[in-house]
Amino acid sequence: MQTTTPSSLASVANNRDQRVPGTNLLGTGLETRGVHAWFGKKHVLSDVSLDFAAGTVTALIGPSGCGKSTYLRTLNRMHEFIPTAALAGEVLLDGQDIYAPGTDVTKIRLKVGMVFQKPNPFPSMTIGENVLSGLKLAQLKKSNTDDLLESCLMRAGLWSEVKDRLGEHGGSLSGGQQQRLCIARALAVQPQVLLMDEPCSALDPGSTFRIEETISELAKSMTIVIVTHNMQQAARVSDYTAFFLSDGGPGVMVETAPTSRIFSAPVDKRTEDYVTGRFG
Amino acid sequence: MTLLENQSAAIPAPREITTKPRLSDQIFRAIVTLGGMASLVILGLIALFLSLKGFHILTEEKFSFITESRWEVITGDTGNIEESNLGIGAMLVGTFLSALIAISVGVPIAVLSALYLTFYARGSAKKILISLIDLMAAFPSLLYGFWGFFVFMASAEYWAKLLNKYLGFVPFFDVPAPIFERSPFIAGLVLAIMIIPITTSISREIFDQTPLDRVQAAYALGASKLSMIRAVVIPYGRGGVIGGAMLGLGRAMGETVAVYTVLNIVYQINWQVLFGAGGNVASLILLKFGEAGPYEVDALMAAGLILFILTLLVNALADVLINRFGKKGR
């Protein structure tokens, strides 16, 4: 990894628009209390408590295997798809525990959307059908789908590129366009929170730039949590950064702070070592 | 020389790209080619044999061989054939009907079983069910025939009567006389049970391969299990299910012993599936082969040839269907 000085990343973080929590009316956001995760007997995540204030972007950074993706997947209950997966602690959305007995998990996932590392449009559907697929999948009624289609593609920064080819299959787009299509698809069901699991790791710099623009635009209307390996990206897009680390045991959340402070004056020595490129 | 001419002169002709294969590769290639060709050659030889033996029957009996429904050979004192009336019309209709019933009953059950095994069954129940179904696919068909005759017939007869009572106004479900035993309907149901395991097995394999990222994409959008299956699994698996159904259809059309055991073989074209009369081509061959004279044996070969061509047509149709509908969701 290229060695970067914390101050250069801090200046990147400082030069972006600063968002302050609580300045908009987007609900109370997402909180986790003492989240642990296991795969079988393996304890992979230990005691993570974090708040994601409504209308902010939080980056989760850390080396591979530190549990940050696992943690992200506990936030919309995708964690439980792995057959041996187990979990302890609470994830509160608007103050309600999403793991509470009797919860309809499909309703949770409508409120907490997700964009994956690898673009995964539905190949049997057209571009337009892909964007609106969430309505069909979740059996939501929507009267004016044309407007919704256009606004989702606009917000995902894809409209101008695809407006004349909405009937083509999703697979005909480039990787970066496919990923923005997946973002548009996630937006169509109007989530409160959007989780992004290394959304740019398979993309070229140009597409990455477009997606980062999209994230900044989206943060005006929703809460975003993004896992990234790219610290420049964390500095460019996030208001808060949480650093995860595993020393061979379960991953822990070492430190969380406003992004500019994580890169300028981290409290923990391990955070400093990581953000200055000494390891990881 | 202008710049443009200069440029075109600079573009070389494409080179031939070759590689020198290793000896081990060459040997393996030869073995694989041999194996691949062997099945084709054997298939060709079977077709050739059936044609050589049966073709003169087709020229003598002409079109009536597939439209008429009689099986009469009158031999003179010297053993020469004085008159022959051979036709497999009824058997073709029976083949078609019983296979159609088998597919329309068997495939939906097989697809549901495959979905259950892939997405709902858990743990050891899943493992046991999967190996049971694979075992059932390998069962000798005679056992299905026996079971159909001794156990299943009574219930199926009852269902046939119900169908006739309430849907008898449809010509398909009408009967000329109240004989419901040993009908194409019952044979079709036994065939359905026979093809369920193979179709289930193939459908399950293909459902199992549904890309996880698409499954997760659907769930992340708030899909229920049902809507995920409809939006992701079915489009992906459609081609495989059609392929499995066609394999089942092939088995149903060519099935001999099970049909022979259950069905009442009558030389009369019968479209009324609930009526106890019918037969299929394969069971006719089994019935007649033991007692047939040389001319009749050739006629049975000709019947075999027609069944062979029919099976090829079904497989060709399967390919067309898979190309038309199967690739879309991949």
Side-chain angles (χ1 to χ4, degrees):
Chain A
M1 182 185 273
Q2 167 197 346
T3 307
T4 40
T5 57
S7 58
S8 72
L9 285 172
S11 66
V12 170
N14 277 322
N15 284 337
R16 58 186 291 284
D17 289 342
Q18 301 296 309
R19 270 185 293 274
V20 185
T23 53
N24 53 29
L25 302 166
L26 297 169
T28 50
L30 193 64
E31 304 160 54
T32 69
R33 297 280 168 266
V35 168
H36 293 253
W38 293 265
F39 293 122
K41 293 211 160 33
K42 193 171 188 306
H43 194 185
V44 293
L45 194 65
S46 179
D47 195 22
V48 180
S49 297
L50 264 174
D51 290 358
F52 306 99
T56 61
V57 180
T58 306
L60 310 181
I61 62 169
S64 296
C66 66
K68 57 193 189 300
S69 283
T70 301
Y71 175 68
L72 189 78
R73 291 167 61 91
T74 65
L75 302 180
N76 67 341
R77 293 188 56 171
M78 293 297 280
H79 175 63
E80 65 211 53
F81 279 116
I82 291 134
T84 58
L87 174 118
E90 286 180 332
V91 178
L92 306 170
L93 179 66
D94 292 339
Q96 300 287 316
D97 183 10
I98 66 169
Y99 288 90
T103 305
D104 180 355
V105 66
T106 62
K107 295 219 172 85
I108 298 300
R109 297 199 189 109
L110 276 176
K111 290 182 190 161
V112 186
M114 190 167 209
V115 174
F116 296 83
Q117 186 172 1
K118 208 179 120 212
N120 53 2
F122 298 120
S124 61
M125 301 180 190
T126 64
I127 292 170
E129 286 168 350
N130 258 290
V131 175
L132 300 173
S133 59
L135 301 180
K136 214 170 119 192
L137 283 165
Q139 285 147 0
L140 300 177
K141 296 270 178 292
K142 193 81 196 176
S143 51
N144 205 340
T145 52
D146 284 353
D147 285 355
L148 181 69
L149 178 64
E150 184 176 340
S151 77
C152 291
L153 284 168
M154 283 279 202
R155 290 167 75 197
L158 191 61
W159 174 250
S160 59
E161 289 159 65
V162 301
K163 64 174 188 288
D164 300 321
R165 47 195 286 212
L166 295 171
E168 283 177 35
H169 280 258
S172 63
L173 300 174
S174 75
Q177 289 173 324
Q178 286 189 18
Q179 192 63 301
R180 279 179 279 149
L181 177 63
C182 292
I183 294 174
R185 179 176 70 183
L187 298 178
V189 295
Q190 289 160 334
Q192 276 173 255
V193 181
L194 189 61
L195 310 177
M196 306 180 106
D197 190 358
E198 297 182 43
C200 302
S201 67
L203 305 181
D204 62 283
S207 302
T208 302
F209 174 72
R210 305 296 302 272
I211 288 184
E212 287 178 5
E213 278 186 334
T214 303
I215 292 170
S216 302
E217 202 51 40
L218 292 177
K220 292 172 187 161
S221 56
M222 62 179 60
T223 310
I224 293 178
V225 185
I226 177 170
V227 167
T228 179
H229 268 126
N230 180 339
M231 280 185 280
Q232 292 277 354
Q233 183 168 62
R236 284 192 300 261
V237 303
S238 69
D239 306 296
Y240 296 89
T241 296
F243 173 58
F244 283 65
L245 187 65
S246 155
D247 56 358
V252 292
M253 199 271 292
V254 173
E255 183 171 356
T256 180
T259 300
S260 54
R261 207 164 74 218
I262 282 280
F263 290 118
S264 60
V267 175
D268 197 290
K269 177 80 171 61
R270 293 169 293 176
T271 313
E272 190 185 338
D273 286 350
Y274 185 72
V275 299
T276 52
R278 257 174 237 142
F279 77 97
Chain B
M1 194 183 272
T2 67
L3 186 63
L4 200 69
E5 279 169 333
N6 196 8
Q7 266 182 347
S8 66
I11 296 172
R15 296 184 59 182
E16 192 184 345
I17 298 170
T18 58
T19 177
K20 182 176 177 291
R22 292 188 184 188
L23 183 63
S24 56
D25 256 351
Q26 283 174 310
I27 293 171
F28 186 65
R29 186 197 163 94
I31 294 171
V32 170
T33 311
L34 213 65
M37 297 311 282
S39 57
L40 265 181
V41 168
I42 291 169
L43 192 72
L45 286 177
I46 292 174
L48 186 69
F49 165 76
L50 289 175
S51 310
L52 286 178
K53 295 282 274 181
F55 198 68
H56 71 97
I57 302 290
L58 295 182
T59 51
E60 275 162 49
E61 304 286 335
K62 301 206 175 60
F63 208 54
S64 69
F65 189 70
I66 54 171
T67 54
E68 293 284 313
S69 303
R70 266 177 295 187
W71 200 267
E72 298 158 356
V73 179
I74 298 161
T75 41
D77 301 336
T78 53
N80 62 319
I81 289 150
E82 289 180 346
E83 204 190 328
S84 69
N85 274 310
L86 299 172
I88 56 168
M91 301 302 137
L92 283 175
V93 169
T95 303
F96 173 72
L97 278 184
S98 53
L100 186 73
I101 292 166
I103 288 294
S104 37
V105 174
V107 171
I109 296 177
V111 170
L112 291 178
S113 316
L115 287 174
Y116 172 74
L117 287 172
T118 317
F119 295 103
Y120 293 89
R122 289 266 168 269
S124 55
K126 180 172 178 168
K127 280 186 195 144
I128 293 168
L129 279 172
I130 288 172
S131 40
L132 262 182
I133 293 218
D134 288 347
L135 182 76
M136 278 173 73
F139 252 29
S141 55
L142 181 64
L143 300 182
Y144 285 101
F146 277 166
W147 176 81
F149 187 80
F150 290 111
V151 181
F152 184 62
M153 186 106 73
S155 324
E157 205 188 327
Y158 174 71
W159 301 336
K161 282 178 186 160
L162 275 184
L163 271 177
N164 176 253
K165 188 172 170 192
Y166 293 107
L167 292 170
F169 57 88
V170 182
F172 210 51
F173 295 120
D174 198 8
V175 285
I179 301 167
F180 294 99
E181 274 190 340
R182 313 193 67 183
S183 64
F185 173 71
I186 297 175
L189 290 184
V190 171
L191 286 177
I193 291 162
M194 261 184 66
I195 65 166
I196 284 171
I198 181 90
T199 312
T200 303
S201 214
I202 290 172
S203 307
R204 189 189 64 76
E205 298 261 338
I206 198 91
F207 291 157
D208 223 18
Q209 288 165 20
T210 312
L212 192 64
D213 61 343
R214 287 182 217 166
V215 174
Q216 295 201 349
Y219 279 134
L221 287 165
S224 62
K225 210 163 199 170
L226 172 64
S227 51
M228 185 281 291
I229 287 172
R230 279 173 52 189
V232 176
V233 178
I234 300 293
Y236 178 81
R238 198 158 34 204
V241 171
I242 295 172
M246 290 299 151
L247 266 185
L249 183 62
R251 189 166 183 199
M253 280 177 34
E255 180 47 40
T256 314
V257 179
V259 174
Y260 181 76
T261 319
V262 174
L263 198 54
N264 192 16
I265 296 178
V266 175
Y267 302 100
Q268 178 198 337
I269 291 183
N270 171 30
W271 287 98
Q272 295 165 329
V273 290
L274 303 180
F275 184 57
N280 73 359
V281 178
S283 63
L284 172 83
I285 297 174
L286 178 66
L287 176 70
K288 290 289 175 189
F289 189 71
E291 57 187 36
Y295 187 78
E296 263 188 284
V297 167
D298 284 1
L300 293 175
M301 297 295 170
L305 181 65
I306 298 214
L307 186 60
F308 183 85
I309 293 168
L310 215 58
T311 315
L312 281 186
L313 284 178
V314 165
N315 275 307
L317 179 72
D319 275 350
V320 171
L321 285 178
I322 291 171
N323 281 325
R324 175 80 181 72
F325 300 110
K327 298 259 166 73
K328 214 180 134 206
R330 303 231 115 190

